[in-house]
Amino acid sequence: KFVQFFSTNCSFLINFVIKELILNMKLHYLLPFVILFHALSIQAQTHLNFKNNAAATVGIYVQDLKTGKVIANQNANVAMTPASVTKSITVAGAMLHLNPDFSYRTNVYLVGETISHNNSINANIVVSSSSDPTLESEHFPKNKIFVEKIVENILAIGVDSINGEIIVVPTRQVEDYSNSWMVEDVAWDYGAGYRNFNYKDNKFIITYNVDSATFVINEDIPNLDLSIDITPAQTSNIILTRGLGSTSLSVSGNYNQNRHEVKMSCSLPS
């Protein structure tokens, strides 16, 4: 019963612990025990049991680094895409190299006139970017106030009109994409790259109107070369294709014939 409990519920425990790691950084001492219990359950069962496991390929290898003893080994030599499992490495790296209270800091400055003429000034809004991936992100509701806070602070100094530009100055250089990424993921929102300045999850939405065969894009995407060739069917199977660094986006496949519009969430080109 003990083994079966962990084989059934360990995925929930791991998700819970990782969530706590990200939010509070307080449960790091539990993660090794969760992995160990799961490994022991695998060793006892000879295979993983979960819903629809026949359609999945699962591998795990756990070794005691002190003794060299292999605790669990299932499909360890089978090549497979690690996918979101790599997020645990990101969390571990953040815990090792960053303070648990670490947060990104994005400073915004008004550069130009400091005296308002009829509530208007000639100045630029300069954003000193820290590569914060959460600015105006739908996954972090508390951070969807970046623009609102800028406007609020400008109004507070008696200015309601600015003649100038918005300039983003990066404080670090980051790699947008890795050449090892799966090209099938690049065009979708979950394949958005990490930039010097990240905003609204680095994505945009295409809404395709089936009745008029027209589309609307919710953001102005410079140099976007978009082609759409989708046909009605019983079920939806939309395929987005865009190469690394390319601004050419192809939309193909099928959409549900009972729908009047199709929405596709896409990653911003570099």
Side-chain angles (χ1 to χ4, degrees), residues 3-196:
V3 170
Q4 185 59 42
F5 169 80
F6 274 96
S7 68
T8 303
N9 297 293
C10 191
S11 60
F12 162 77
L13 291 173
I14 291 176
N15 289 334
F16 171 76
V17 171
I18 290 178
K19 180 180 179 182
E20 288 299 313
L21 286 172
I22 295 171
L23 296 178
N24 301 317
M25 297 295 185
K26 294 178 180 178
L27 297 181
H28 59 278
Y29 54 86
L30 288 180
L31 187 57
F33 295 101
V34 173
I35 295 175
L36 176 60
F37 282 134
H38 193 43
L40 291 174
S41 72
I42 295 170
Q43 189 178 43
Q45 294 180 77
T46 70
H47 68 279
L48 287 169
N49 288 321
F50 55 90
K51 186 177 181 180
N52 298 325
N53 64 339
T57 303
V58 179
I60 188 170
Y61 183 87
V62 181
Q63 183 180 31
D64 188 320
L65 296 181
K66 289 185 178 181
T67 65
K69 180 182 178 181
V70 176
I71 299 172
N73 182 351
Q74 179 181 333
N75 292 333
N77 296 320
V78 176
M80 60 187 78
T81 303
S84 291
V85 172
T86 57
K87 293 176 182 176
S88 60
I89 307 301
T90 302
V91 173
M95 291 184 63
L96 286 172
H97 298 287
L98 300 176
N99 187 295
D101 297 323
F102 171 84
S103 62
Y104 289 90
R105 183 178 183 86
T106 302
N107 295 314
V108 181
Y109 306 92
L110 271 180
V111 179
E113 294 181 351
T114 57
I115 300 175
S116 172
H117 302 284
N118 298 321
N119 299 328
S120 177
I121 62 173
N122 297 316
N124 294 324
I125 298 175
V126 178
V127 179
S128 180
S129 171
S130 61
S131 302
D132 184 349
T134 70
L135 292 181
E136 297 287 341
S137 170
E138 68 176 23
H139 305 293
F140 296 85
K142 291 182 179 180
N143 290 358
K144 295 187 72 173
I145 57 172
F146 179 64
V147 173
E148 179 183 321
K149 284 296 182 181
I150 294 175
V151 173
E152 180 182 305
N153 281 276
I154 291 175
L155 291 174
I157 62 174
V159 174
D160 59 21
S161 177
I162 297 176
N163 299 312
E165 299 179 336
I166 299 175
I167 301 174
V168 176
V169 179
T171 57
R172 67 183 73 182
Q173 294 297 321
V174 299
E175 183 181 9
D176 188 4
Y177 289 102
S178 168
N179 290 329
S180 62
W181 282 21
M182 294 180 65
V183 70
E184 293 87 349
D185 292 343
V186 170
W188 293 98
D189 57 357
Y190 54 80
Y194 179 59
R195 315 276 175 83
N196 292 321

Side-chain angles (χ1 to χ4, degrees), residues 211-242:
D211 299 326
S212 62
T214 58
F215 61 87
V216 175
I217 302 176
N218 71 327
E219 302 283 352
D220 181 20
I221 313 298
N223 303 317
L224 179 67
D225 180 16
L226 176 64
S227 64
I228 299 180
D229 182 17
I230 53 179
T231 56
Q234 294 293 327
T235 58
S236 293
N237 181 27
I238 299 296
I239 301 171
L240 299 183
T241 306
R242 181 173 64 80

